Amino acid sequence: MSANTPGHSRGLKKTHKAAIAGVAALSAAALGLSLVQGGGSTEVEPQALGNAKPVSVAYDANSAQAKALAASLDQQTSAFALKAKQEADAKAKAKAAAEAQKKAAAAKAAAKKKAEAEAKKRAAAKAAASRAAARKPVFANNLDGWIREALFIMDKHDIPGTYHGIYKNVMRESSGNPRAINNWDINAINGVPSKGLLQVIYPTFKAYHIPGTKFDQYDPVANIVAACNYAADRYGTIDNVNSAY
């Protein structure tokens, strides 16, 4: 069938049309060469060219030339598709890496900020403790020092009492002996003997003990503070106590 047959040309692919065009061009070149060689001259009679009939080129889709052209176009299309996919994958990978780096940087910044806040908090607590320690006087380890330290603590807890009130009761109850114990009165008979500078029984010491002092009836400072706390609750102040209480 002729290549310029209308019914057939509409069904041709682009690759087929390109092949036909190539074959037509080659045929035309061959025809021109044969005319030159046959007549021995490069001049062609106008009449001869004017009367020439159109050259009809046959197309074979299964020819080696058509197949090679189609394969070449398919290969180029595949190469372009592969390159486009590779570029898209590279962009996606770069974007994911950038986002991961951004998240890591944000997490690192947050951790650093938290660590700095905690360090600042610890430093502030340490400084406050140092200031508190610096403000606390150093008391002598004797009756005078015990009473003065007890008054220092009592002042912080709003427990009334004076040096004189404490001292007079200490001397009456224990003569200033922090290890004094009463093993003969009713409390001793009941199993809760009075102990320490101000002769406090265990239930009273436990009920009126002030946090921050030792939980020990024999500890001189803890004993004085607990006894003064009890006296304040019962008598208004240790200064009002002038006998056994």
Side-chain angles (χ1 to χ4, degrees):
M1 184 180 291
S2 174
N4 56 5
T5 303
H8 181 74
S9 61
R10 284 195 299 270
L12 294 180
K13 296 181 179 180
K14 290 182 179 181
T15 55
H16 298 163
K17 292 179 180 180
I20 293 170
V23 172
L26 291 173
S27 300
L31 177 60
L33 182 61
S34 63
L35 289 173
V36 172
Q37 291 176 347
S41 174
T42 57
E43 295 182 1
V44 180
E45 292 294 329
Q47 294 83 357
L49 292 176
N51 295 329
K53 294 181 179 180
V55 178
S56 179
V57 180
Y59 170 72
D60 184 2
N62 294 320
S63 67
Q65 185 180 10
K67 289 180 177 180
L69 182 59
S72 177
L73 292 174
D74 290 341
Q75 186 177 9
Q76 292 180 26
T77 302
S78 298
F80 287 139
L82 178 61
K83 184 177 180 181
K85 184 178 182 303
Q86 290 175 341
E87 290 177 350
D89 290 344
K91 288 181 179 179
K93 186 176 181 180
K95 183 178 180 181
E99 290 179 351
Q101 186 176 7
K102 185 178 180 181
K103 288 181 179 180
K108 185 177 180 180
K112 183 179 179 181
K113 185 176 181 180
K114 183 179 179 181
E116 289 176 348
E118 291 178 350
K120 187 176 180 180
K121 185 177 180 180
R122 288 193 298 270
K126 186 176 180 180
S130 297
R131 288 193 298 270
R135 288 195 300 268
K136 184 178 179 180
V138 177
F139 301 100
N141 187 26
N142 54 33
L143 180 57
D144 178 72
W146 300 331
I147 295 175
R148 293 185 186 282
E149 185 173 356
L151 288 169
F152 180 82
I153 296 170
M154 289 164 57
D155 182 62
K156 292 181 178 296
H157 293 272
D158 296 323
I159 300 172
T162 65
Y163 185 99
H164 175 72
I166 294 172
Y167 181 82
K168 71 176 183 178
N169 280 285
V170 166
M171 296 310 292
R172 185 187 68 251
E173 295 291 337
S174 65
S175 299
N177 179 11
R179 303 298 298 180
I181 181 171
N182 187 326
N183 288 316
W184 55 268
D185 66 3
I186 187 63
N187 290 321
I189 294 172
N190 292 333
V192 285
S194 301
K195 296 179 180 180
L197 290 176
L198 288 172
Q199 291 293 283
V200 182
I201 62 174
Y202 179 75
T204 300
F205 178 81
K206 181 179 179 181
Y208 290 94
H209 171 260
I210 293 298
T213 62
K214 293 182 180 179
F215 194 82
D216 180 2
Q217 281 177 266
Y218 286 119
D219 181 78
V221 175
N223 186 283
I224 292 173
V225 174
C228 289
N229 193 23
Y230 164 72
D233 186 42
R234 182 78 180 271
Y235 304 102
T237 173
I238 190 70
D239 295 347
N240 296 331
V241 177
N242 296 301
S243 61
Y245 61 109

